[in-house]
């Protein structure tokens, strides 16, 4: 097992069988000591954050597997805070895909002239580039295609999968009386046919969730969703 | 004739026949006393800037009329620095449509991870909201449709017209050995059928043009294009 990459919240190891091991860390993104899933810097360390994120990720990835939705997931070991995944290549240097059900965050900062806080949105999908220096700029299908990051066919699959997976997460949260406002995914190319598949994680840090109009912190969300 | 609106670079008057008169001012957008077509503030006043902008606008709008491309243009009076136009309503509170042939400006600031300065682009079209407070954010077709700013049918017409008009301007500049890097348009709904039509102006202040790799200031461009 060889250490190949140190991420903000995960370390990556190459396994001898060609798969990879993701080690979920207790470091979470944020600014000024406050947990902020949208932030690009590691803000603080919370004991148990890695395992909690993995527990929710395992929960959702196993639902997706049952529904035959392509992901990189193989299995997870909660005690070790590790997840085994298939190798994947990202689009360009990585893109994030956001599915929005309510107007909050950067959507509201950009489109506040036409939207009010918390206004319902139609599962609107947008893609942003992973580029800390340029503050993860949004990018259109045309630009993704022109810059050779994603083909038009891949974009269509990615958009459809985003809506489908977003709705699955939304419904699972709704079973606990929780409203999903938005959720952020990463996709990559997996397998010999390089099919578009969900990668990374689906944890509290990837979404904004509310209960009775109150924002739920990622760790609290993971507690509410996973009854041990 | 009734004064109805004071813009950054134009005043608008309602005519008795239902049409409008645009008075081109010598105020140009910029920052710190420097002419910058992309700026949202009026930076300085240059004697003759209004007439020069109108001269180039008249030149292009009359080419478009010959080609049956819909615009709001009726006629222009260079001496008075006025243009008569049909009434138009804008999309939402106004959108701008950019057609890009080379990577410069905000495109490069956003997508510099994947593009180098001056790299050829394929006539890529993007829409931004006119919203000074939020720095004219880019917006996708899906968001324009969801927020009720533009229908999908209107978006298609607007995108096709943008490419068509952009290419006409590019070819006219090329006749003088000038390279068009990018150009910004405004569109609105015109006539009883509310068809999508080009509005506002096509002046040096709407585009970035280069000759032998050197940027050409808007007023210099207008001088080069219009031989009196």
């Amino acid at each position: 097992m060889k250490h190949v990459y140190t991420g903000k919240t995960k370390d990556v190891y190459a396994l001898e069988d060609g798969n990879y091991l993701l080690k979920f860390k207790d470091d979470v993104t944020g600014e000024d000591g406050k947990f902020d899933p949208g932030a690009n810097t590691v803000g603080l360390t919370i004991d148990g954050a890695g395992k909690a994120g993995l527990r929710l990720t395992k929960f959702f990835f196993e639902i997706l597997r049952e529904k035959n939705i392509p992901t990189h997931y193989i299995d997870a070991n909660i005690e070790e805070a590790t997840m085994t995944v298939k190798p994947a290549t990202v689009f360009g240097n990585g893109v994030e895909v956001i599915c929005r059900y309510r107007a909050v965050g950067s959507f509201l900062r950009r489109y506040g002239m036409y939207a009010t806080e918390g206004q319902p949105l139609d599962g609107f999908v947008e893609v942003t580039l992973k580029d800390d220096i340029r503050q993860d700029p949004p990018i259109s299908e045309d630009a993704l295609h022109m810059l050779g990051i994603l083909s038009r066919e891949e974009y269509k699959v990615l958009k459809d999968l985003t809506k489908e997976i977003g709705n699955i997460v939304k419904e699972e949260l709704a079973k606990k009386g929780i409203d999903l406002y938005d959720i952020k995914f990463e996709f990559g190319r997996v397998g010999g046919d390089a099919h578009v598949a969900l990668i990374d994680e689906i944890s509290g840090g990837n979404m904004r969730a509310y209960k009775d109009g109150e924002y739920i912190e990622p760790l609290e969300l993971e507690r509410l969703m996973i009854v041990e």
Side-chain angles (χ1 to χ4, degrees), chain A:
Chain A
M1 190 164 94
K2 192 182 150 211
H3 180 236
V4 291
Y5 180 73
T6 301
K8 283 174 213 153
T9 62
K10 285 192 270 319
D11 287 331
V12 182
Y13 299 86
L15 298 174
E16 295 195 349
D17 64 1
N19 293 323
Y20 287 85
L21 189 83
L22 307 183
K23 170 82 178 175
F24 283 56
K25 299 193 280 192
D26 286 340
D27 298 335
V28 300
T29 55
E31 276 174 16
D32 305 324
K34 197 173 167 294
F35 193 171
D36 175 2
N40 273 328
T41 49
V42 168
L44 68 168
T45 299
I46 302 173
D47 279 349
K51 284 184 190 176
L54 177 58
R55 217 173 264 126
L56 196 58
T57 296
K58 178 177 192 282
F59 174 76
F60 283 121
F61 272 111
E62 293 184 355
I63 292 174
L64 298 180
R65 180 158 60 191
E66 273 172 39
K67 293 181 185 284
N68 287 317
I69 291 170
T71 77
H72 70 157
Y73 180 78
I74 297 173
D75 60 36
N77 181 328
I78 302 294
E79 273 319 296
E80 302 286 329
T82 57
M83 181 162 92
T84 311
V85 299
K86 296 174 210 166
T89 54
V90 296
F91 303 106
N93 300 317
V95 302
E96 288 186 337
V97 190
I98 302 154
C99 189
R100 299 183 179 277
Y101 300 101
R102 296 258 185 188
V104 286
S106 62
F107 184 90
L108 201 64
R109 282 196 297 278
R110 274 185 266 129
Y111 308 131
M113 185 182 264
Y114 297 94
T116 54
E117 185 164 7
Q119 165 187 320
L121 303 175
D122 62 3
F124 166 66
V125 173
E126 63 185 357
V127 179
T128 61
L129 295 179
K130 291 186 78 159
D131 186 346
D132 290 358
I133 295 168
R134 298 177 184 85
Q135 284 96 43
D136 298 341
I139 184 163
S140 70
E141 176 186 347
D142 286 346
L144 286 165
H145 172 250
M146 178 178 64
L147 296 173
I149 299 170
L150 205 66
S151 74
R152 293 203 184 277
E153 294 68 32
E154 286 173 327
Y155 183 87
K156 190 185 177 319
V157 174
L158 175 135
K159 186 173 164 180
D160 290 347
L161 282 176
T162 297
K163 283 180 176 270
E164 193 176 358
I165 301 168
N167 282 334
I168 289 166
V169 174
K170 193 171 190 290
E171 280 170 23
E172 289 299 323
L173 265 61
K175 289 178 187 171
K176 312 263 177 175
I178 300 168
D179 294 322
L180 181 63
Y181 276 32
D182 56 30
I183 184 162
K184 182 174 72 179
F185 299 113
E186 285 189 43
F187 289 88
R189 298 182 183 101
V190 169
D193 60 350
H195 63 272
V196 177
L198 185 69
I199 64 168
D200 197 46
E201 60 177 61
I202 307 181
S203 72
N206 294 93
M207 59 187 92
R208 286 195 187 86
Y210 285 67
K211 189 162 190 168
D212 304 325
E214 291 285 315
Y215 173 69
I216 307 171
E217 295 279 345
L219 287 170
E220 175 63 12
L221 176 68
E222 287 153 6
R223 270 191 293 269
L224 291 171
M225 288 302 295
I226 309 291
V227 180
E228 301 186 52

